[in-house]
């Protein structure tokens, strides 16, 4: 009986205290924002129905959201709607008035994606960086690219409400963000992080250089988030993501959310030496340089691409080199698939753009080890996935802050 009574009281007084007009107003505003974000457009009557308020309250909420610049009157009726009399006024989210920025700080490149409040992409930019660049130079290159992107996209910093960044080798746990090499066994395993990032406070350094608070996450985790948001896995709830770029990585999505684990190390199976990921990538680098006749210490992106083109043409050494990378990827994917039993496996990263050159042997090796192989899809996002995933993280942060109701 007491449980039923409490449930009825909660339903009658959602604000928690009867008569708290200020808190009720904030609750109504938050509910209205959510309703507008979920709908293409709303009339006053539609808003009333969505949030369950009176006409005067709906008018007040609408006026407040117009004053705040959150909504605007729609220029056209939705879906060509027609009415016999005077048409009802429709209002919609002013998505262009709110922007978020996603940044990718990687080993060989920095990239920036700007999205509006609806998640529409406003700008995409990338720039190559020296793989041996230290933290100051690498973070500075990302900050300059972000400034250029905002300036040339037609938006302004006044509209940018959240910034998030994916960084190679970062992990997030209850104590904050750290470089993976700062974990107890990090220096003794085959883990990959950016030069010098294990000696800095990543969040503090990035935020200081960007001149604003920045959310930080692991780059591969963000790539998987992007695939589920706008890529090859939009209808999948459980997902294994395999990243094939200038290095190999992986991520797990369970029930629509990234599974990070207690130390942010979820899906970090690349550290298992038995898979041979470092050796496969070292062979790819070496054979790419050899094919190009290069004497440099590391292969360029163009040289790696040339090796994949050679594999597509049937060059024996190139075919064997790509096959070794595909086998390492497939072994890792098989281990994760057997642990998670996902709806889908997505093969992403820059090398996924080679199409069947990599996907063909990956599927073959995967089929040899998986009990009941799920569908395998190539990424629809490729090299922009990390920055786009960071933009998604920034958008979720912005929505959470906009819809928050302080006690």
């Amino acid at each position: 009986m007491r449980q039923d009574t409490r449930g009825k009281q909660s339903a009658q007084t959602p604000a928690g205290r009867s008569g708290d007009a200020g808190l009720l107003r904030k609750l109504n505003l938050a509910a209205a924002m959510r309703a507008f974000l979920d709908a293409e457009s709303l009339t006053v009557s539609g808003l009333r129905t969505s949030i369950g308020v009176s006409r005067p309250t709906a008018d007040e909420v609408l006026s407040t959201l117009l004053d705040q610049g959150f909504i605007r009157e729609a220029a056209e009726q939705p879906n060509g709607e027609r009415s016999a009399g005077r048409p009802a006024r429709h209002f919609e989210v002013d998505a262009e008035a709110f922007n978020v920025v996603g940044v990718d700080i990687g080993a060989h490149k920095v990239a920036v994606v700007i999205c509006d409040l609806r998640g529409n992409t406003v700008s995409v930019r990338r720039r190559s960086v020296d793989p041996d660049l230290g933290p100051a130079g690498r973070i500075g290159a990302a900050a300059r690219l972000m400034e250029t992107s905002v300036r040339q996209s037609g938006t302004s910093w006044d509209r940018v409400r959240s910034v998030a960044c994916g960084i190679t080798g970062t992990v997030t746990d209850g104590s904050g963000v750290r470089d993976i090499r700062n974990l107890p066994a990090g220096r003794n395993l085959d883990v990959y992080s950016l030069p010098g990032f294990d000696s800095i406070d990543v969040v503090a350094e990035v935020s200081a250089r960007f001149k604003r608070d920045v959310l930080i996450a692991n780059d591969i985790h963000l790539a998987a988030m992007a695939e589920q948001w706008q890529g090859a896995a939009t209808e999948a709830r459980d997902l294994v993501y395999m990243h094939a770029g200038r290095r190999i990585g992986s991520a797990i999505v369970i029930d629509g959310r990234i599974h990070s684990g207690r130390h942010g190390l979820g899906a970090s199976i690349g550290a298992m030496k038995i898979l041979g990921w470092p050796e496969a990538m070292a062979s790819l680098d070496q054979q790419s340089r050899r094919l190009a006749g290069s004497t440099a210490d590391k292969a360029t992106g163009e040289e790696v691409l040339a090796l994949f083109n050679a594999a597509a043409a049937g060059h024996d050494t190139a075919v064997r080199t790509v096959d070794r990378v595909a086998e390492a990827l497939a072994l890792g994917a098989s281990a994760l698939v057997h642990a998670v039993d996902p709806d889908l496996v997505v093969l992403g990263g820059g090398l996924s753009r080679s199409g069947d050159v990599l996907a063909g042997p990956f599927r073959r090796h995967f089929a040899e080890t998986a009990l009941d192989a799920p569908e395998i899809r190539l990424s629809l996002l490729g090299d922009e996935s990390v920055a786009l995933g960071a933009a998604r993280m920034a958008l979720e942060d912005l929505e959470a802050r906009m819809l928050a109701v302080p006690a």
Side-chain angles (χ1 to χ4, degrees), residues 238-240 252-254 259 334-343:
D238 298 337
L239 163 71
V240 164
I252 298 172
V253 177
I254 298 177
H259 177 72
S334 179
L336 294 177
V337 163
H338 285 109
V340 178
D341 193 20
D343 303 319

Side-chain angles (χ1 to χ4, degrees), residues 48-133:
R48 285 184 60 196
T49 302
S50 295
I51 65 176
V53 296
S54 65
R55 176 62 188 244
T57 299
D59 286 334
E60 179 186 356
V61 168
L62 196 68
S63 178
T64 300
L65 294 180
L66 284 167
D67 290 342
Q68 291 177 350
F70 180 77
I71 61 172
R72 64 190 176 192
E73 186 168 356
E76 298 180 359
Q77 299 295 307
N79 302 319
E81 181 181 308
R82 294 288 186 270
S83 60
R86 183 179 179 182
R89 298 169 67 194
H90 285 257
F91 300 88
E92 62 186 5
V93 170
D94 189 359
E96 296 84 359
F98 299 83
N99 291 129
V100 297
V101 178
V103 183
D104 174 12
I105 299 182
H108 297 268
K109 74 171 190 310
V110 292
V112 172
V113 169
I114 302 175
C115 292
D116 67 20
L117 190 56
R118 289 288 193 191
N120 302 308
T121 300
V122 175
S123 172
V124 179
R125 290 182 179 272
R126 56 173 292 158
R127 183 175 297 164
S128 297
V129 295
D130 186 335
D132 296 321
L133 199 60

Side-chain angles (χ1 to χ4, degrees), residues 172-174 259-266:
T172 306
D173 60 19
H259 177 72
S260 298
R262 63 192 176 100
H263 292 136
L265 294 172

Side-chain angles (χ1 to χ4, degrees), residues 125 127 143-153:
R125 290 182 179 272
R127 183 175 297 164
R144 289 190 295 274
L145 183 62
M146 182 176 67
E147 295 283 349
T148 300
S149 298
V150 172
R151 184 175 64 252
Q152 297 185 356
S153 68

Side-chain angles (χ1 to χ4, degrees), residues 16 22 36 41 74 146 166 251 256 281 315 350 360:
F36 274 109
S41 66
M146 182 176 67
M281 298 310 288
H315 188 285

Side-chain angles (χ1 to χ4, degrees), residues 50-329:
S50 295
I51 65 176
V53 296
S54 65
R55 176 62 188 244
T57 299
D59 286 334
E60 179 186 356
V61 168
L62 196 68
S63 178
T64 300
L65 294 180
L66 284 167
D67 290 342
Q68 291 177 350
F70 180 77
I71 61 172
R72 64 190 176 192
E73 186 168 356
E76 298 180 359
Q77 299 295 307
N79 302 319
E81 181 181 308
R82 294 288 186 270
S83 60
R86 183 179 179 182
R89 298 169 67 194
H90 285 257
F91 300 88
E92 62 186 5
V93 170
D94 189 359
E96 296 84 359
F98 299 83
N99 291 129
V100 297
V101 178
V103 183
D104 174 12
I105 299 182
H108 297 268
K109 74 171 190 310
V110 292
V112 172
V113 169
I114 302 175
C115 292
D116 67 20
L117 190 56
R118 289 288 193 191
N120 302 308
T121 300
V122 175
S123 172
V124 179
R125 290 182 179 272
R126 56 173 292 158
R127 183 175 297 164
S128 297
V129 295
D130 186 335
D132 296 321
L133 199 60
R138 195 177 300 273
I139 296 170
R144 289 190 295 274
L145 183 62
M146 182 176 67
E147 295 283 349
T148 300
S149 298
V150 172
R151 184 175 64 252
Q152 297 185 356
S153 68
T155 186
S156 68
W157 280 113
D158 291 338
R159 296 181 182 179
V160 175
R161 306 301 177 91
S162 186
V163 178
C165 184
I167 299 181
T168 297
T170 58
V171 294
T172 306
D173 60 19
S175 61
V177 177
R178 294 186 288 173
D179 186 274
I180 195 168
R181 292 187 180 273
N182 289 329
L183 296 177
R187 295 183 181 277
N188 299 317
L189 295 175
D190 290 318
V191 295
Y192 189 97
S193 69
L194 299 174
F197 273 63
D198 57 335
S199 62
I200 66 169
D201 182 329
V202 177
V203 176
E205 293 288 340
V206 173
S207 295
R209 191 64 178 83
F210 283 22
K211 300 178 182 178
R212 65 196 64 245
D213 291 335
V214 180
L215 301 166
I216 305 291
N218 176 268
D219 58 343
I220 306 300
H221 288 184
L222 292 179
M225 185 186 296
E227 290 294 342
Q228 193 174 48
W229 182 35
Q230 294 187 9
T234 54
E235 77 283 9
R237 296 298 296 171
D238 298 337
L239 163 71
V240 164
Y241 173 79
M242 303 303 297
H243 184 91
R246 300 299 294 276
R247 78 189 202 287
I248 297 175
S250 54
I252 298 172
V253 177
I254 298 177
D255 196 25
R257 307 297 297 180
I258 290 292
H259 177 72
S260 298
R262 63 192 176 100
H263 292 136
L265 294 172
S268 297
I269 58 172
M272 297 174 61
K273 295 182 180 181
I274 192 172
L275 295 180
W277 286 14
E279 293 80 7
M281 298 310 288
S283 175
L284 177 64
D285 183 86
Q286 180 185 40
Q287 295 301 333
S288 296
R289 285 184 285 116
R290 181 174 296 173
L291 185 65
S294 171
T295 57
D297 293 335
K298 296 178 181 178
T300 65
E302 291 75 16
E303 288 166 351
V304 173
L305 177 61
L307 182 136
F308 272 79
N309 289 336
H315 188 285
D316 286 344
T317 300
V319 168
R320 287 194 299 271
T321 302
V322 172
D323 187 78
R324 187 175 182 183
V325 172
E327 183 178 20
L329 273 167

